[in-house]
Amino acid sequence: GAVVSQHPSWVICKSGTSVKIECRSLDFQATTMFWYRQFPKQSLMLMATSNEGSKATYEQGVEKDKFLINHASLTLSTLTVTSAHPEDSSFYICSAREGLHNEQFFGPGTRLTVL
Amino acid sequence: AQKITQTQPGMFVQEKEAVTLDCTYDTSDQSYGLFWYKQPSSGEMIFLIYQGSYDEQNATEGRYSLNFQKARKSANLVISASQLGDSAMYFCAGGGSNYKLTFGKGTLLTVNP
């Protein structure tokens, strides 16, 4: 099956610093990658859609200057949380889909804690 | 736009029995897909099953089957012969022509021995 990895799996940082999260499709070329955020005991909320070589499209209410997304290749997308604050602490999950396939395959997630 | 509703915050089932997790949807797309994902306490999202809006037969994947009733806009997940390892959060999700997924609030399934 399709495998998506995320790195790091967890990160603790100080308020005001920036954190980069990587999402990689290991055995397929991801036409599109998606970034979600999940707060404790809540559902996944889509933050942005990322297509290789083009600018990400952000969902309403998501600050594009705070959550920088780069999709440099068909197997790698990165999410940078800039000037992180405690309210940004959450579980960040990426997913990827290939070509004409409808299924999205998810990475294992990154737990971010901002002190 | 899609709206996914899961009305069961929690469900209990006895080991080896079958359980149905409810999901209703509302969409303006003519072509759409419905998905079920399992999220254990580790947090990873595990794809279980997919049903396309034009698929005439209900999807099945091993012990998972999707009871798709288009007229009622429902896409219930049926897990047969429940196992202790099935205890997890289950999310129904819908996707349209833009492939974006909208998730329901989830159902926490507990399988009792």
Side-chain angles (χ1 to χ4, degrees):
Chain A
V3 180
V4 176
S5 71
Q6 269 183 254
H7 178 80
S9 54
W10 59 270
V11 57
I12 302 173
C13 69
K14 292 183 178 179
S15 185
T17 61
S18 295
V19 174
K20 180 185 282 189
I21 302 170
E22 291 186 351
C23 176
R24 293 180 185 272
S25 56
L26 297 184
D27 52 1
F28 67 100
Q29 292 188 322
T31 313
T32 309
M33 287 184 170
F34 302 88
W35 286 96
Y36 296 84
R37 181 166 53 181
Q38 185 180 30
F39 291 108
K41 299 191 185 300
Q42 293 189 23
S43 187
L44 280 74
M45 296 297 292
L46 179 65
M47 298 175 67
T49 303
S50 167
N51 292 292
E52 185 263 341
S54 61
K55 288 185 178 180
T57 55
Y58 292 80
E59 295 301 299
Q60 194 172 8
V62 177
E63 299 174 59
K64 61 181 181 182
D65 294 330
K66 181 169 185 62
F67 298 100
L68 301 179
I69 292 172
N70 183 277
H71 195 156
S73 75
L74 281 171
T75 59
L76 173 64
S77 176
T78 59
L79 168 68
T80 302
V81 183
T82 62
S83 186
H85 288 96
E87 56 265 31
D88 298 324
S89 298
S90 187
F91 192 56
Y92 292 87
I93 313 176
C94 71
S95 71
R97 58 172 287 272
E98 176 186 24
L100 300 177
H101 295 164
N102 292 301
E103 294 91 330
Q104 287 184 26
F105 297 95
F106 284 79
T110 297
R111 196 164 301 279
L112 170 64
T113 301
V114 185
L115 302 176
Chain B
Q2 293 245 353
K3 183 180 178 182
I4 303 292
T5 303
Q6 293 180 256
T7 57
Q8 306 156 314
M11 287 285 285
F12 292 88
V13 66
Q14 211 62 29
E15 194 178 6
K16 300 182 184 178
E17 292 185 351
V19 63
T20 298
L21 305 184
D22 295 341
C23 173
T24 58
Y25 63 92
D26 194 11
T27 179
S28 54
D29 288 316
Q30 294 296 314
S31 177
Y32 53 89
L34 296 153
F35 304 77
W36 278 93
Y37 288 88
K38 172 184 178 181
Q39 187 179 42
S41 56
S42 60
E44 61 187 306
M45 294 289 286
I46 302 169
F47 168 73
L48 297 178
I49 197 165
Y50 165 80
Q51 179 86 40
S53 57
Y54 291 113
D55 294 341
E56 294 185 352
Q57 291 194 329
N58 287 341
T60 60
E61 289 286 349
R63 294 186 300 110
Y64 304 107
S65 61
L66 201 152
N67 184 1
F68 183 47
Q69 298 189 39
K70 202 168 182 178
R72 299 178 66 178
K73 295 190 175 181
S74 71
N76 299 337
L77 176 70
V78 180
I79 305 175
S80 62
S82 297
Q83 302 172 355
L84 295 178
D86 293 335
S87 294
M89 198 74 173
Y90 287 81
F91 290 99
C92 177
S97 54
N98 60 10
Y99 300 105
K100 294 182 182 181
L101 289 184
T102 300
F103 284 83
K105 292 187 175 182
T107 297
L108 181 62
L109 176 66
T110 303
V111 181
N112 294 317

